[in-house]
């Protein structure tokens, strides 16, 4: 099972969601691999690990999946770290007109019998690599902030996904849109949530994750919310997402 976290809008909680979900599922006993396709390389930092050109080496074919996969010091959670060279890989691949199924092909050795789990974090940009990350996915999660411009970013991901269904016969599905940085106090949050439900259907909108300073601290300290504040509100909110995803997985 491959789960891609995507939104071309920056700073909407993609990396936080990818890292939190990956570690949450590992804690639930699932062997989980986190793949960082963003040249910012923040998955490694969020786990307190060093950035490396792992994704670059994998994409350009100079190292195998096993060679670029790192342990994280957390049971059942592995990481393929990235860094700014991921952007170079994208340029190289574009020049070679790579196939859209490149990510799934590269990950094949990690998915024996389809039982293992890969979470892909993506960059806040549009491009063929982002498209390939969506194409690889069995499930897509779209985090979004709840401000007035939020819907726009979500619409673009949904358009890309619909085009993949139509033109490439993509067989994945969108698990949902995850409202992040939610704030009960502002009208903007509530109004945007209503807008999202009206535009995309209430069934596609996941329960929101509130704005929480502790999530920012986690990122800065290289700890996941399960390590830093397991009984906090954001931990409970992300636990809901972990259970939803776990429902899709073979037991
Ligand atoms: N619910 C939240 N409340 C408060 N801060 C948050 C929340 N979610 C994430 N953050 C913080 O906001 C910043 C942006 O989050 P994150 O890096 O997850 O977004 P992103 O979509 O991956 O960004 P980019 O598009 O640059 O990759 C980080 O410092 C993160 O720790
Ligand atoms: Mg990110």
């Amino acid at each position: 099972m491959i789960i891609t976290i995507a939104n071309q809008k920056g700073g909407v909680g993609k990396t936080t969601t990818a890292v939190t979900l990956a570690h949450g599922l590992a804690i639930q006993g699932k062997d989980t691999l986190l793949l960082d396709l963003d040249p910012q390389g923040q998955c490694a930092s969020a786990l307190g690990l060093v950035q490396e050109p792992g994704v670059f080496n994998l994409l350009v074919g100079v190292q195998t999946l096993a060679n670029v996969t790192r342990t994280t010091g957390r049971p059942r959670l592995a990481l393929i770290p990235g860094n700014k060279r991921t952007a170079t890989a994208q340029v190289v691949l574009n020049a070679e007109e790579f196939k859209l199924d490149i990510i799934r092909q590269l990950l094949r050795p990690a998915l024996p019998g389809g039982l293992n789990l890969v979470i892909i974090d993506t960059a806040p940009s549009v491009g063929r690599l982002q498209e390939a990350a969506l194409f690889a996915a069995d499930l897509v999660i779209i985090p979004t902030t709840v401000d007035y411009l939020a819907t726009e970013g979500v619409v673009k991901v949904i358009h890309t996904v619909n085009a993949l269904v139509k033109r490439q016969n993509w067989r994945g599905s969108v698990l949902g849109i995850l409202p992040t940085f939610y704030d009960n106090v502002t009208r903007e949050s509530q109004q945007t949530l209503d807008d999202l439900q009206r535009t995309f259907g209430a069934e596609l909108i996941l329960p929101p994750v509130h704005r929480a300073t502790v999530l920012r601290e986690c990122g800065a300290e290289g700890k996941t919310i399960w390590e830093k504040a397991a009984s906090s509100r954001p931990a409970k909110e992300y636990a809901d997402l972990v259970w939803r995803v776990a429902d899709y997985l073979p037991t």
Side-chain angles (χ1 to χ4, degrees):
M1 166 89 68
I2 299 177
I3 302 171
T4 296
I5 315 296
N7 189 335
Q8 62 208 65
K9 202 158 175 283
V12 297
K14 291 183 291 296
T15 301
T16 303
T17 300
V19 168
T20 306
L21 181 61
H23 191 208
L25 287 161
I27 292 169
Q28 293 298 326
K30 311 289 181 192
D31 280 313
T32 307
L33 172 63
L34 178 62
L35 169 63
D36 188 356
L37 284 187
D38 184 353
Q40 296 178 95
Q42 283 165 346
C43 286
S45 330
L47 290 169
L49 305 167
V50 287
Q51 297 190 0
E52 286 181 55
V55 170
F56 172 84
N57 289 334
L58 182 67
L59 286 173
V60 302
V62 300
Q63 282 194 331
T64 63
L65 187 73
N67 283 333
V68 297
T69 302
R70 298 284 168 264
T71 55
T72 63
R74 291 136 178 119
R76 289 178 296 279
L77 179 62
L79 169 71
I80 300 181
N83 69 0
K84 56 185 190 303
R85 294 192 74 188
T86 303
T88 314
Q90 179 152 8
V91 174
V92 172
L93 291 170
N94 280 335
E96 294 170 358
E97 294 193 359
F98 65 97
K99 292 214 172 61
L100 210 50
D101 72 347
I102 184 170
I103 305 288
R104 192 170 276 273
Q105 291 305 333
L106 287 169
L107 289 173
R108 197 171 286 270
L111 300 160
L115 289 177
N116 284 350
L117 183 61
V118 183
I119 312 278
I120 304 179
D121 185 24
T122 60
S125 55
V126 231
R128 210 159 147 74
L129 194 56
Q130 277 67 255
E131 216 180 318
L134 288 171
F135 190 63
D138 299 294
L139 283 179
V140 173
I141 297 171
I142 310 170
T144 178
T145 48
V146 281
D147 49 74
Y148 288 122
L149 295 172
T151 323
E152 216 172 287
V154 180
V155 164
K156 287 181 181 154
V157 188
I158 299 278
H159 273 322
T160 309
V161 159
N162 287 342
L164 288 175
V165 172
K166 216 188 267 173
R167 293 197 212 110
Q168 311 286 342
N169 202 19
W170 180 62
R171 295 180 188 282
S173 54
V174 176
L175 175 77
I177 296 161
L178 179 70
T180 57
F181 296 87
Y182 188 79
D183 190 342
N184 295 70
V185 193
T186 64
R187 267 173 58 88
E188 193 182 20
S189 273
Q190 188 50 51
Q191 210 150 12
T192 306
L193 198 61
D194 292 345
D195 278 352
L196 288 170
Q197 290 181 340
R198 214 170 319 113
T199 312
F200 303 104
E203 65 291 342
L204 211 57
I205 313 301
L206 297 163
V209 174
H210 280 75
R211 179 185 293 278
T213 310
V214 68
L215 282 174
R216 187 172 296 278
E217 292 166 355
C218 280
E221 292 172 27
K223 289 183 190 152
T224 70
I225 192 73
W226 319 115
E227 292 161 339
K228 186 170 167 65
S231 52
S232 62
R233 175 156 81 174
K236 292 192 179 111
E237 291 168 340
Y238 269 116
D240 179 275
L241 183 67
V242 170
W243 285 113
R244 265 167 216 269
V245 170
D247 275 348
Y248 277 84
L249 304 175
T251 44

